[in-house]
Amino acid sequence: MTGLNVSTAKQVEGTGATAQSAVFELSQVSKEFRVGARLWPWGGATLRAVDDVTLRIDPGECFGIVGESGCGKSTLAKLLLLLEPISSGRLAFHGQDVRSFSRRDVRRFRRKVQAVLQDPYSSLNPRMSISSIISEPMEALGVGNRKEREERVCTLMEQVGLNPDFRRRFPHQFSGGQQQRVAIARALSVEPEVLVLDEPTSALDVSVRTQIIRLLLDIKSKYSLTMVFISHDLAVVEQISDRVGVMYAGEVVETGQAKDVIRTASHPYTQVLTAAVPSPDPDERPPTRLLLDGEIPSPLNLPPGCRFHPRCSRALPQCAADRPQLTLIEASREAACHLFVPSAPPSPGANGKVAKVS
Ligand code: SF4
């Protein structure tokens, strides 16, 4: 297995980021889709799924991306996997702009960056045996001969906790958790550097979810993998991620160390999101509970200024007009909110629409 030496990385002052080449570096990356162009004579509308996202993902870390459904997490995953081209901005992989990739570079990239998707059953071909499914990426990328691939399938099955004797079976003969293990084995088959996991545990039972998280933590440390872990489940993200980025309406509104962001959220949206995480201990419940009114805005009709302002209880007068930028608010912590601009008044005028205390 290949692994990057993260110990040589130097810390960049104040950001928690490393001076070593980032695995992924996104600068003002946006993704737009034209919708309804064939149906509407005026040419349809522009759907902005990912908007102006700037972040870096460093070697060996697990970067969690969280947010409500429809916030752009999965589109961001597709951009990272080169399944969709970016509309604007710059997306670099190990310092190289992906738009300059030759066919050979794309082929190398496909080997280095693998995906694990949400629904294991629909991501596995029901007509293929488990052995064929796991060896498929190796065949597609010309890795090893038939015998070597077969041996590797057995090794991988053992590594993900499956009995290699079952390699001739088909996906429907496995439980949901076992199917996700197959999907992980398939992703590992070509010795990737990076796993992009899009809601890998959300279709699983709670007990199976814990097993899969343990497996992912195990393979991450064993192979020095870099992971991008996308989920709406903050408890799971806190368990597995080193750093997180919180997305709202296509934008990243807060980044930082996972535990800091989830336990002491800074951005008003993150505060509402994290307050909604249930605690197993009722005594540990926060004294106040924040509830969010309204829906996440349509990417076809995004509000001006701060995207969160129609739902934000702490909105300032300028929030409806001025779009806040993601800025460093403390070491290793960024937020896009006017409350953190030094000139902002300490006591914001609530618009009364959002946060309720229960
Ligand atoms: Fe709320 Fe304004 Fe901050 Fe947006 S910028 S989260 S509306 S306070």
Coordinates of all heavy atoms in Angstrom, one line a residue, residues 257-325:
Q257 N -10.9 22.2 13.7 CA -10.7 20.9 14.2 C -12.1 20.3 14.5 O -13.0 21.0 15.1 CB -9.9 20.9 15.5 CG -8.5 21.4 15.3 CD -7.6 20.5 14.4 OE1 -7.7 19.3 14.5 NE2 -6.9 21.1 13.5
A258 N -12.3 19.0 14.3 CA -13.7 18.5 14.4 C -14.3 18.7 15.8 O -15.4 19.1 15.9 CB -13.6 17.0 14.0
K259 N -13.5 18.3 16.8 CA -14.1 18.4 18.1 C -14.4 19.9 18.5 O -15.4 20.1 19.1 CB -13.1 17.8 19.1 CG -13.0 16.3 19.1 CD -12.4 15.7 20.3 CE -12.7 14.2 20.4 NZ -12.8 13.5 19.1
D260 N -13.5 20.8 18.1 CA -13.8 22.2 18.4 C -15.1 22.7 17.8 O -15.9 23.3 18.4 CB -12.6 23.1 18.0 CG -11.3 22.7 18.7 OD1 -11.4 22.1 19.8 OD2 -10.3 23.1 18.2
V261 N -15.2 22.4 16.5 CA -16.3 22.9 15.7 C -17.6 22.3 16.2 O -18.6 23.0 16.4 CB -16.1 22.7 14.2 CG1 -17.4 23.0 13.4 CG2 -15.0 23.5 13.6
I262 N -17.6 21.0 16.5 CA -18.8 20.4 16.9 C -19.2 20.6 18.3 O -20.4 20.8 18.6 CB -18.7 18.8 16.5 CG1 -18.7 18.7 15.0 CG2 -19.9 18.1 17.1 CD1 -18.4 17.3 14.5
R263 N -18.2 20.8 19.2 CA -18.5 21.0 20.6 C -18.7 22.5 20.9 O -19.4 22.9 21.8 CB -17.5 20.4 21.5 CG -17.5 18.9 21.3 CD -16.7 18.2 22.3 NE -16.7 16.8 22.1 CZ -16.1 15.9 22.8 NH1 -15.3 16.2 23.8 NH2 -16.1 14.6 22.5
T264 N -17.9 23.4 20.3 CA -18.1 24.8 20.6 C -18.2 25.6 19.2 O -17.2 26.3 18.8 CB -16.8 25.3 21.3 OG1 -15.6 25.0 20.6 CG2 -16.7 24.7 22.7
A265 N -19.3 25.4 18.6 CA -19.5 26.0 17.2 C -19.4 27.5 17.3 O -19.9 28.1 18.3 CB -20.8 25.5 16.7
S266 N -18.9 28.1 16.3 CA -18.8 29.6 16.3 C -19.9 30.2 15.4 O -20.6 31.1 15.8 CB -17.4 30.0 15.7 OG -16.4 29.6 16.5
H267 N -20.0 29.6 14.2 CA -21.0 30.2 13.2 C -22.4 29.9 13.7 O -22.7 28.8 14.2 CB -20.8 29.6 11.9 CG -21.5 30.2 10.7 ND1 -22.8 30.0 10.5 CD2 -21.1 31.1 9.8 CE1 -23.2 30.8 9.4 NE2 -22.1 31.4 9.0
P268 N -23.3 30.9 13.6 CA -24.7 30.6 14.0 C -25.4 29.4 13.4 O -26.1 28.7 14.1 CB -25.5 31.9 13.6 CG -24.4 33.0 13.7 CD -23.1 32.3 13.2
Y269 N -25.1 29.1 12.2 CA -25.6 27.9 11.5 C -25.1 26.7 12.2 O -25.8 25.7 12.5 CB -25.4 27.9 10.0 CG -25.8 26.6 9.4 CD1 -27.2 26.2 9.4 CD2 -24.9 25.7 8.8 CE1 -27.6 25.0 8.8 CE2 -25.3 24.5 8.3 CZ -26.7 24.2 8.3 OH -27.1 23.0 7.7
T270 N -23.8 26.6 12.4 CA -23.1 25.4 13.0 C -23.7 25.3 14.4 O -23.9 24.1 14.9 CB -21.6 25.6 13.1 OG1 -21.1 26.1 11.9 CG2 -20.9 24.3 13.3
Q271 N -24.0 26.4 15.1 CA -24.5 26.3 16.5 C -25.9 25.6 16.5 O -26.1 24.7 17.3 CB -24.6 27.7 17.1 CG -23.3 28.3 17.5 CD -23.4 29.7 18.0 OE1 -24.5 30.3 17.9 NE2 -22.3 30.3 18.4
V272 N -26.7 25.9 15.5 CA -28.0 25.3 15.4 C -27.9 23.8 15.0 O -28.5 23.0 15.6 CB -28.9 26.0 14.4 CG1 -30.3 25.4 14.3 CG2 -29.1 27.5 14.8
L273 N -27.0 23.6 14.1 CA -26.8 22.2 13.6 C -26.3 21.3 14.8 O -26.8 20.2 15.0 CB -25.7 22.2 12.5 CG -25.7 21.2 11.4 CD1 -27.0 21.2 10.7 CD2 -24.5 21.4 10.5
T274 N -25.3 21.8 15.5 CA -24.7 21.0 16.6 C -25.7 20.9 17.8 O -25.6 19.8 18.5 CB -23.4 21.5 17.1 OG1 -23.5 22.9 17.4 CG2 -22.3 21.4 16.0
A275 N -26.5 21.9 18.0 CA -27.5 21.8 19.1 C -28.5 20.7 18.8 O -29.1 20.2 19.8 CB -28.1 23.1 19.3
A276 N -28.7 20.3 17.6 CA -29.7 19.3 17.2 C -29.1 17.9 17.4 O -29.9 16.9 17.3 CB -30.1 19.5 15.8
V277 N -27.8 17.7 17.7 CA -27.3 16.4 17.9 C -27.8 15.8 19.3 O -27.5 16.5 20.3 CB -25.7 16.4 17.9 CG1 -25.2 15.0 18.2 CG2 -25.2 16.9 16.6
P278 N -28.5 14.7 19.3 CA -29.0 14.2 20.5 C -27.9 13.6 21.4 O -26.9 13.0 20.8 CB -30.0 13.1 20.1 CG -29.5 12.7 18.7 CD -28.8 13.9 18.1
S279 N -28.0 13.8 22.7 CA -27.0 13.2 23.6 C -27.5 12.0 24.2 O -28.7 11.9 24.6 CB -26.6 14.2 24.7 OG -25.9 13.6 25.7
P280 N -26.7 10.9 24.3 CA -27.2 9.7 24.9 C -27.6 9.9 26.4 O -28.4 9.2 27.0 CB -26.1 8.7 24.7 CG -24.9 9.5 24.4 CD -25.4 10.8 23.8
D281 N -26.9 10.9 27.0 CA -27.2 11.2 28.4 C -28.1 12.4 28.5 O -27.6 13.5 28.2 CB -25.8 11.4 29.1 CG -26.0 11.8 30.6 OD1 -27.1 11.8 31.0 OD2 -24.9 12.0 31.2
P282 N -29.3 12.2 29.0 CA -30.2 13.4 29.1 C -29.7 14.5 29.9 O -30.0 15.7 29.7 CB -31.5 12.8 29.7 CG -31.2 11.4 30.1 CD -29.9 11.0 29.5
D283 N -28.8 14.2 31.0 CA -28.3 15.2 31.8 C -27.3 16.1 31.1 O -26.9 17.2 31.5 CB -27.6 14.6 33.0 CG -28.6 13.9 33.9 OD1 -29.8 14.3 33.8 OD2 -28.2 12.9 34.6
E284 N -26.8 15.6 29.9 CA -25.8 16.3 29.2 C -26.4 17.2 28.2 O -25.7 17.9 27.4 CB -24.9 15.3 28.4 CG -23.6 15.0 29.1 CD -22.7 14.1 28.3 OE1 -22.7 14.3 27.0 OE2 -21.9 13.3 28.8
R285 N -27.7 17.2 28.1 CA -28.4 18.1 27.1 C -28.1 19.6 27.4 O -28.0 20.0 28.5 CB -29.9 17.9 27.2 CG -30.5 17.1 26.1 CD -32.0 17.1 26.2 NE -32.6 18.4 26.1 CZ -33.9 18.6 26.0 NH1 -34.7 17.6 25.9 NH2 -34.3 19.8 25.9
P286 N -27.8 20.3 26.4 CA -27.5 21.7 26.6 C -28.7 22.4 27.2 O -29.8 22.0 27.0 CB -27.2 22.3 25.2 CG -27.8 21.3 24.2 CD -27.8 20.0 24.9
P287 N -28.5 23.5 28.1 CA -29.6 24.1 28.7 C -30.6 24.7 27.8 O -31.7 24.9 28.1 CB -28.9 25.2 29.6 CG -27.5 25.3 29.0 CD -27.2 24.1 28.4
T288 N -30.1 25.1 26.6 CA -31.1 25.7 25.6 C -31.0 24.9 24.4 O -29.9 24.3 24.0 CB -30.7 27.2 25.3 OG1 -29.4 27.2 24.9 CG2 -30.9 28.0 26.5
R289 N -32.1 24.8 23.6 CA -32.1 24.1 22.4 C -32.5 25.0 21.3 O -33.4 25.8 21.4 CB -33.1 22.9 22.5 CG -32.6 21.7 21.7 CD -33.2 20.4 22.3 NE -34.5 20.5 22.7 CZ -35.5 20.0 21.9 NH1 -35.2 19.4 20.8 NH2 -36.8 20.1 22.3
L290 N -31.7 25.1 20.2 CA -31.9 26.0 19.1 C -32.7 25.2 18.0 O -32.3 24.2 17.7 CB -30.6 26.5 18.6 CG -29.7 27.3 19.6 CD1 -28.4 27.6 19.0 CD2 -30.4 28.6 20.0
L291 N -33.7 25.8 17.6 CA -34.5 25.2 16.5 C -34.4 26.1 15.3 O -34.4 27.3 15.4 CB -36.0 25.0 16.9 CG -36.2 24.2 18.1 CD1 -37.7 24.1 18.5 CD2 -35.7 22.7 17.9
L292 N -34.3 25.5 14.1 CA -34.2 26.2 12.9 C -35.5 26.2 12.1 O -36.0 25.2 11.8 CB -33.1 25.5 12.1 CG -32.4 26.3 10.9 CD1 -31.8 27.6 11.4 CD2 -31.4 25.4 10.3
D293 N -36.0 27.4 11.9 CA -37.2 27.6 11.1 C -36.8 27.7 9.6 O -35.7 28.1 9.2 CB -37.9 28.9 11.4 CG -38.8 28.7 12.7 OD1 -38.9 27.5 13.1 OD2 -39.2 29.7 13.3
G294 N -37.8 27.3 8.8 CA -37.6 27.5 7.3 C -36.7 26.4 6.7 O -36.2 25.5 7.4
E295 N -36.6 26.5 5.4 CA -35.9 25.5 4.6 C -34.6 26.1 4.2 O -34.4 27.3 4.1 CB -36.7 25.1 3.4 CG -38.0 24.5 3.6 CD -37.9 23.1 4.2 OE1 -37.0 22.4 3.8 OE2 -38.7 22.8 5.1
I296 N -33.6 25.2 3.9 CA -32.4 25.6 3.2 C -32.8 26.3 1.9 O -33.7 25.8 1.2 CB -31.4 24.4 3.0 CG1 -30.1 24.9 2.7 CG2 -32.0 23.4 2.1 CD1 -29.0 23.7 2.8
P297 N -32.2 27.4 1.5 CA -32.7 28.1 0.3 C -32.4 27.3 -1.0 O -31.5 26.5 -1.0 CB -31.9 29.4 0.3 CG -30.7 29.2 1.1 CD -31.1 28.2 2.2
S298 N -33.3 27.5 -2.0 CA -33.1 26.8 -3.2 C -31.8 27.3 -3.9 O -31.6 28.5 -4.0 CB -34.3 27.0 -4.1 OG -34.0 26.7 -5.5
P299 N -31.0 26.3 -4.4 CA -29.8 26.8 -5.2 C -30.2 27.5 -6.5 O -29.3 28.1 -7.1 CB -29.1 25.5 -5.5 CG -30.0 24.4 -5.2 CD -31.1 24.9 -4.3
L300 N -31.5 27.5 -6.8 CA -31.9 28.3 -8.0 C -32.2 29.7 -7.6 O -32.4 30.6 -8.5 CB -33.2 27.6 -8.6 CG -33.0 26.3 -9.3 CD1 -34.3 25.7 -9.6 CD2 -32.3 26.6 -10.6
N301 N -32.4 30.0 -6.3 CA -32.9 31.3 -5.9 C -32.2 31.6 -4.5 O -32.9 31.6 -3.5 CB -34.4 31.3 -5.8 CG -34.9 32.7 -5.5 OD1 -34.2 33.7 -5.8 ND2 -36.1 32.8 -4.9
L302 N -30.9 31.8 -4.6 CA -30.2 32.0 -3.3 C -30.4 33.5 -2.8 O -30.4 34.4 -3.6 CB -28.7 31.7 -3.5 CG -28.4 30.3 -3.8 CD1 -27.0 30.1 -4.3 CD2 -28.6 29.4 -2.5
P303 N -30.5 33.6 -1.5 CA -30.7 35.0 -1.0 C -29.4 35.8 -1.1 O -28.3 35.2 -1.1 CB -31.1 34.8 0.5 CG -30.6 33.4 0.8 CD -30.6 32.6 -0.4
P304 N -29.5 37.1 -1.3 CA -28.3 37.9 -1.3 C -27.6 38.0 0.1 O -28.2 37.6 1.1 CB -28.8 39.3 -1.8 CG -30.2 39.3 -1.3 CD -30.7 37.9 -1.3
G305 N -26.4 38.6 0.1 CA -25.7 38.7 1.4 C -25.4 37.4 1.9 O -25.0 36.4 1.2
C306 N -25.5 37.2 3.3 CA -25.3 35.9 3.9 C -26.4 35.0 3.6 O -27.6 35.3 3.8 CB -25.2 36.1 5.4 SG -25.1 34.5 6.3
R307 N -26.1 33.8 3.0 CA -27.2 32.9 2.6 C -28.0 32.5 3.8 O -29.1 32.0 3.6 CB -26.5 31.6 2.0 CG -25.6 31.9 0.9 CD -26.4 31.7 -0.4 NE -25.7 32.4 -1.5 CZ -24.8 31.9 -2.3 NH1 -24.4 30.7 -2.1 NH2 -24.3 32.6 -3.3
F308 N -27.5 32.6 5.0 CA -28.2 32.1 6.2 C -29.1 33.2 6.8 O -29.8 32.9 7.7 CB -27.2 31.6 7.2 CG -27.7 30.9 8.4 CD1 -28.6 29.8 8.2 CD2 -27.4 31.3 9.7 CE1 -29.2 29.1 9.3 CE2 -28.0 30.6 10.8 CZ -28.8 29.6 10.6
H309 N -29.0 34.4 6.3 CA -29.6 35.5 7.0 C -31.2 35.4 7.2 O -31.7 35.8 8.2 CB -29.3 36.9 6.4 CG -30.1 37.4 5.3 ND1 -29.8 37.2 4.0 CD2 -31.3 38.0 5.3 CE1 -30.7 37.7 3.2 NE2 -31.7 38.2 4.0
P310 N -31.9 34.8 6.2 CA -33.4 34.7 6.5 C -33.7 33.8 7.6 O -34.8 33.8 8.1 CB -33.9 34.1 5.1 CG -32.8 34.4 4.1 CD -31.6 34.3 4.9
R311 N -32.7 32.9 8.0 CA -33.0 32.0 9.1 C -32.2 32.3 10.4 O -32.3 31.6 11.4 CB -32.7 30.5 8.7 CG -33.4 30.1 7.4 CD -32.8 28.8 6.9 NE -33.3 27.6 7.5 CZ -32.9 26.4 7.3 NH1 -31.8 26.2 6.5 NH2 -33.4 25.4 7.9
C312 N -31.4 33.3 10.4 CA -30.5 33.6 11.5 C -31.1 34.5 12.5 O -31.5 35.6 12.2 CB -29.2 34.2 10.9 SG -27.9 34.5 12.2
S313 N -31.0 34.1 13.7 CA -31.6 34.9 14.8 C -30.6 36.0 15.2 O -31.0 36.9 16.0 CB -31.8 34.0 16.1 OG -30.6 33.5 16.5
R314 N -29.4 35.9 14.8 CA -28.4 36.9 15.2 C -28.0 37.9 14.0 O -27.0 38.5 14.1 CB -27.1 36.2 15.7 CG -27.5 35.2 16.8 CD -26.2 34.5 17.2 NE -25.3 35.3 17.9 CZ -24.0 35.0 18.2 NH1 -23.6 33.8 17.8 NH2 -23.2 35.8 18.8
A315 N -28.9 37.9 13.0 CA -28.5 38.7 11.8 C -28.3 40.2 12.1 O -29.1 40.7 12.9 CB -29.6 38.5 10.8
L316 N -27.3 40.7 11.5 CA -27.0 42.2 11.6 C -27.7 42.9 10.4 O -28.0 42.2 9.4 CB -25.5 42.3 11.6 CG -24.7 41.6 12.7 CD1 -23.3 41.6 12.3 CD2 -25.0 42.2 14.0
P317 N -27.8 44.2 10.4 CA -28.4 44.9 9.3 C -27.6 44.6 8.0 O -28.3 44.5 6.9 CB -28.2 46.4 9.7 CG -28.2 46.4 11.2 CD -27.5 45.1 11.6
Q318 N -26.3 44.5 8.0 CA -25.5 44.3 6.8 C -25.6 42.9 6.2 O -25.2 42.6 5.1 CB -24.1 44.7 7.0 CG -23.3 43.8 7.9 CD -23.2 44.3 9.3 OE1 -24.1 44.9 9.8 NE2 -22.0 44.2 9.9
C319 N -26.2 41.9 7.0 CA -26.2 40.5 6.6 C -27.0 40.3 5.4 O -26.7 39.3 4.6 CB -26.7 39.6 7.8 SG -25.6 39.6 9.2
A320 N -28.1 41.1 5.2 CA -28.9 40.9 4.0 C -28.3 41.3 2.7 O -28.7 41.0 1.6 CB -30.2 41.6 4.2
A321 N -27.2 42.2 2.8 CA -26.6 42.7 1.6 C -25.2 42.3 1.4 O -24.8 42.0 0.3 CB -26.6 44.2 1.7
D322 N -24.4 42.1 2.5 CA -23.0 41.8 2.3 C -22.7 40.3 2.6 O -23.1 39.8 3.6 CB -22.1 42.7 3.3 CG -22.3 44.1 3.1 OD1 -22.6 44.5 1.9 OD2 -22.0 44.9 4.0
R323 N -22.0 39.7 1.6 CA -21.7 38.3 1.8 C -20.4 38.2 2.6 O -19.4 38.7 2.2 CB -21.5 37.7 0.4 CG -21.4 36.2 0.4 CD -21.4 35.8 -1.0 NE -21.0 34.4 -1.1 CZ -20.8 33.8 -2.3 NH1 -20.9 34.4 -3.4 NH2 -20.5 32.5 -2.3
P324 N -20.5 37.5 3.8 CA -19.3 37.3 4.6 C -18.4 36.3 4.0 O -18.8 35.4 3.4 CB -19.9 36.8 5.9 CG -21.2 36.1 5.6 CD -21.7 36.8 4.4
Q325 N -17.1 36.6 4.1 CA -16.0 35.7 3.6 C -15.5 34.8 4.7 O -15.6 35.2 5.9 CB -14.9 36.6 3.1 CG -15.2 37.5 1.9 CD -15.8 36.8 0.7 OE1 -15.2 35.8 0.3 NE2 -16.9 37.3 0.2

